[in-house]
Amino acid sequence: MELTTELLTEIGPSECDLFLNDFSAFAHNHQLPPDFSKNGVPWTTWLILGGRGSGKTRAGAEWVRATAISDPKARIALLGETERDTREVMVEGISGLLAVHPPHERPLWVPSRRRLEWPNGALAQAFSAEEPESLRGPQFSAAWCDELAKWRHAEASFDMLQFGLRLGERPRQVITTTPRPTALLKRLIADPLTAMTRAGTIANACNLAPSFIENILSRYGGTRLGRQEIDGEIIEQREDALWSRAQLERCRIDKAPPLARIVVAVDPPGSATKQADACGLVAAGRGEDGHICVLADETARGLSPQA
């Protein structure tokens, strides 16, 4: 810190601004894009796994910034869990796209069109993972997906995005998320075209409130929740789970057999005052051979009878 202060006092205002806006000078290793190729194969997906506050959002925003500034023809998709998350975290958030740009580079945010317009001509469109079909039609040269492990329609939204990544010489995407043991995330980790960086919350402690670090470590350090949310680990299952994920995967089939009966079961919250609680919504069918097949689990929060 003393060396940085001494350096800044010896250079002019323009050089000082240039230095302070050079993210690579301050970034942690997990926030910097990997080498162009992974084991000799150019990567397509950069997967950033990290705990809460580890700097994932800043890394994603800086990658988009660098992509847009270096390519006036860039067409970038911004895909968050919901429209609100995309706007308030990825675009307008404290580590979002508007915040990481110096004034002369800052793009114009057009909320009515859900679009960012850079002075050099690069464009970004904001989408919600709640609306996979909205990704039909547009095409992109790059994409940033935030908190993919939380997406309700993860498979459908991610698939639609892949069909749209078709501009430029080599379209690429960055994914920033706290890990959860979802099938999609596991496939991405195993994909040879995925380059991965990861870090826990403590890796970015210098940019976080000391009381925050103290509180979360004292309350959740060493717990299952803490390992996931602080350390950024993929926790496969609860130790006291009645059914393991391996058991469930062994029961998975590609196609349901002819069904004699289908039942849709709704398990609403206990009272009207608990709209924030999960509302169970599961479809299952009984095959002609007597076996039961679970067809879908669309459990969601905040569902009313009307919804």
Side-chain angles (χ1 to χ4, degrees):
M1 182 62 71
E2 292 180 359
L3 179 61
T4 302
T5 303
E6 181 179 344
L7 175 63
L8 294 178
T9 59
E10 294 180 357
I11 62 178
S14 59
E15 292 84 359
C16 184
D17 286 341
L18 185 64
F19 176 70
L20 292 175
N21 288 308
D22 180 7
F23 181 62
S24 63
F26 303 93
H28 301 297
N29 289 335
H30 70 276
Q31 294 177 304
L32 295 174
D35 293 336
F36 184 78
S37 63
K38 175 188 175 185
N39 299 326
V41 179
W43 58 264
T44 298
T45 302
W46 175 22
L47 179 60
I48 307 176
L49 299 180
R52 299 285 191 92
S54 60
K56 304 184 298 298
T57 302
R58 178 68 185 271
E62 291 285 357
W63 183 82
V64 171
R65 171 194 170 194
T67 300
I69 296 303
S70 64
D71 181 9
K73 296 182 179 179
R75 297 297 179 266
I76 306 166
L78 308 174
L79 190 53
E81 181 184 5
T82 65
E83 181 180 344
R84 179 178 179 273
D85 290 312
T86 305
R87 181 184 71 250
E88 297 193 4
V89 176
M90 301 173 73
V91 177
E92 300 176 351
I94 193 171
S95 298
L97 283 164
L98 296 180
V100 302
H101 284 77
H104 68 281
E105 288 182 355
R106 187 168 298 144
L108 173 66
W109 170 232
V110 186
S112 60
R113 301 186 67 182
R114 296 197 294 185
R115 190 161 102 161
L116 282 166
E117 302 172 352
W118 275 264
N120 68 350
L123 298 174
Q125 290 177 263
F127 297 90
S128 165
E130 292 283 285
E131 303 171 349
E133 293 300 308
S134 66
L135 289 160
R136 286 186 181 274
Q139 49 188 347
F140 313 102
S141 58
W144 173 21
C145 303
D146 189 48
E147 293 298 353
L148 175 140
K150 290 173 56 185
W151 294 359
R152 181 185 175 195
H153 304 293
E155 299 279 356
S157 296
F158 187 78
D159 288 346
M160 289 299 100
L161 175 62
Q162 304 316 294
F163 284 113
L165 280 170
R166 55 180 186 260
L167 293 181
E169 189 172 322
R170 187 173 185 85
R172 290 187 153 188
Q173 59 192 344
V174 61
I175 299 172
T176 52
T177 188
T178 300
R180 290 182 180 180
T182 66
L184 175 57
L185 192 57
K186 291 179 182 179
R187 288 202 304 273
L188 286 170
I189 292 173
D191 190 336
L193 297 180
T194 296
M196 184 170 66
T197 59
R198 60 194 312 166
T201 302
I202 306 305
N204 195 39
C206 60
N207 292 312
L208 303 172
S211 59
F212 167 75
I213 299 296
E214 182 180 346
N215 288 338
I216 63 168
L217 287 180
S218 63
R219 293 182 182 181
Y220 307 109
T223 66
R224 180 179 181 274
L225 182 62
R227 288 170 58 198
Q228 174 178 283
E229 302 294 327
I230 301 174
D231 301 329
E233 293 184 31
I234 295 182
I235 309 299
E236 288 289 342
Q237 62 188 29
R238 291 177 59 94
E239 295 180 358
D240 58 349
L242 294 177
W243 291 278
S244 68
R245 290 187 177 274
Q247 288 175 316
L248 295 175
E249 288 300 322
R250 285 196 296 269
C251 295
R252 191 180 297 277
I253 57 177
D254 294 328
K255 184 179 180 181
L259 301 174
R261 186 184 183 191
I262 295 177
V263 172
V264 177
V266 180
D267 182 14
S271 70
T273 61
K274 292 188 177 182
Q275 286 295 308
D277 291 346
C279 175
L281 188 58
V282 175
R286 187 184 67 203
E288 295 177 350
D289 60 359
H291 284 88
I292 303 297
C293 298
V294 177
L295 303 175
D297 181 353
E298 297 294 338
T299 297
R301 296 183 181 277
L303 286 184
S304 65
Q306 291 78 13

